[in-house]
Amino acid sequence: MATATSISAADGSTGRRYGPRHRWIVLAVGVGAQGSFAAMFAGIPVTGIAMRADYHLSIGQLGLALACLGLGVAVSDIVWGLLTDRYGDRRVLLIGLTSTAGLLALMAAAVTPGDGAGVAALAACLLAAGALGGSVNGASGRAIMTWFADGERGLAMSIRQTAIPAGGSLGVAVLPWLAHSYGFRAVYAFPAVLCLIAAAATWRWLPTSDAPPPAAAGDVGRSPLVRWDVWRVALASALLTVPQFAVLSFTAIFLHDVKGQGAALAGVTILIAQIGGGAARIWTGRRTDRRGNRRAYLRGIGALTGVAMAAAAVLTQAPTPITVAALALGGLLANSWHGVAYTEIAAMAGPARAGTALGLEGTTVFGAAFLTPLLIPVVLTVASWEAVWALAAAAALLAIPLAPRPRAVTAR
């Protein structure tokens, strides 16, 4: 096995060689790309109260519009993964980031309430934003998998995945304030600028060579798309996404409609879930690198998340601080598994096919992110918020038997 310190690569256009330390710069580029997309993906749903009022949407229309972000990623991620394995990380990242920035700029110019945009235009643009922005998932992940050896991949991928709650926290903190203070032109312009900055970093520091670095040489096998064990990881991840997006997408609406609270408390709740989940990702990434127990961790987090969301269901009518604490804990746990799952599925496929495997993971995860905001308004129509949080708990618990059984491993 190649060690992390032996990895190097040449830039195909300049002839410049990059030493093993450059892997940390590659990781930083991946973090920036993932974070810029996450600021949009997590931040826009938290503007839900303002979006519902300014665009004159029903809760069902709001759920549809927000769900389109996840649908866009779901329908495009396997394609982006295949393109990444074929044409290289750098090219896909540059195309995806610049096109996402261009679309967000168009939305800021012509798809705001002041422009008379309705639910159809809003949903279509959010669908396109998800489809274009989702390119970062497989491309940045494949770059990291090819630059880091197995003993560091869990840590590196977990750091990259932590860019999602970190970037999401930035979006959660800034976008609702922008919506309230400056309107939706500013809401869309802010992540557009972040995507352009990430594209500039990719242009400057990610090597041009389309071929994977030596760590991936000769690492080929069956396509991840025809392996049931790979699909089990992807489907278990989809189930774990349900409580994550239930908390992310509807905490603000729940606290407003049931508890009479404003966006500030919802923002704090989601920030706790995002920041705590990000810290947990890094810790578990490093720990599972040493212990080799990624599958066991996925099963364990399914159990813990299920218990926490069940508590949120039971405590829905409790005093607001208790309910918020349960939701924050459930959201934190539901945000903590991503680095380990993405590392495991990419490692199962091998670096040369990591883009495809990560594309499959993104398809199932963001497919669940699409379906969850559509399902919750239906549950609310026929039942209650207790049923919403109970559904999230059930999804997490179902992930336990679906995740592959742990392999016999020795501590590293």
Side-chain angles (χ1 to χ4, degrees), residues 69-132:
L69 269 173
L71 178 62
V73 182
V75 299
S76 67
D77 237 24
I78 287 180
V79 175
W80 283 121
L82 291 167
L83 290 173
T84 298
D85 286 339
R86 174 64 179 85
Y87 294 107
D89 328 301
R90 184 176 190 269
R91 189 175 300 174
V92 169
L93 278 174
L94 286 172
I95 292 172
L97 288 167
T98 54
S99 59
T100 302
L103 176 65
L104 288 168
L106 175 64
M107 292 178 68
V111 193
T112 68
D115 301 306
V119 64
L122 177 64
C125 287
L126 291 178
L127 176 70
L132 295 172

Side-chain angles (χ1 to χ4, degrees), residues 39-186:
M40 173 192 70
F41 192 87
I44 288 178
V46 187
T47 68
I49 295 173
M51 183 175 286
R52 182 172 64 171
D54 293 358
Y55 282 93
H56 305 292
L57 306 177
S58 68
I59 191 168
Q61 290 173 324
L62 175 65
L64 172 64
L66 296 180
C68 282
L69 269 173
L71 178 62
V73 182
V75 299
S76 67
D77 237 24
I78 287 180
V79 175
W80 283 121
L82 291 167
L83 290 173
T84 298
D85 286 339
R86 174 64 179 85
Y87 294 107
D89 328 301
R90 184 176 190 269
R91 189 175 300 174
V92 169
L93 278 174
L94 286 172
I95 292 172
L97 288 167
T98 54
S99 59
T100 302
L103 176 65
L104 288 168
L106 175 64
M107 292 178 68
V111 193
T112 68
D115 301 306
V119 64
L122 177 64
C125 287
L126 291 178
L127 176 70
L132 295 172
S135 59
V136 306
N137 295 323
S140 63
R142 181 181 180 274
I144 291 165
M145 288 296 294
T146 55
W147 276 85
F148 285 81
D150 189 59
E152 289 183 330
R153 283 175 182 160
L155 174 63
M157 286 289 283
S158 293
I159 291 172
R160 186 205 70 148
Q161 287 303 118
T162 300
I164 297 177
S169 296
L170 178 62
V172 166
V174 173
L175 295 193
W177 170 73
L178 288 176
H180 176 75
S181 302
Y182 299 101
F184 278 88
R185 294 195 197 281

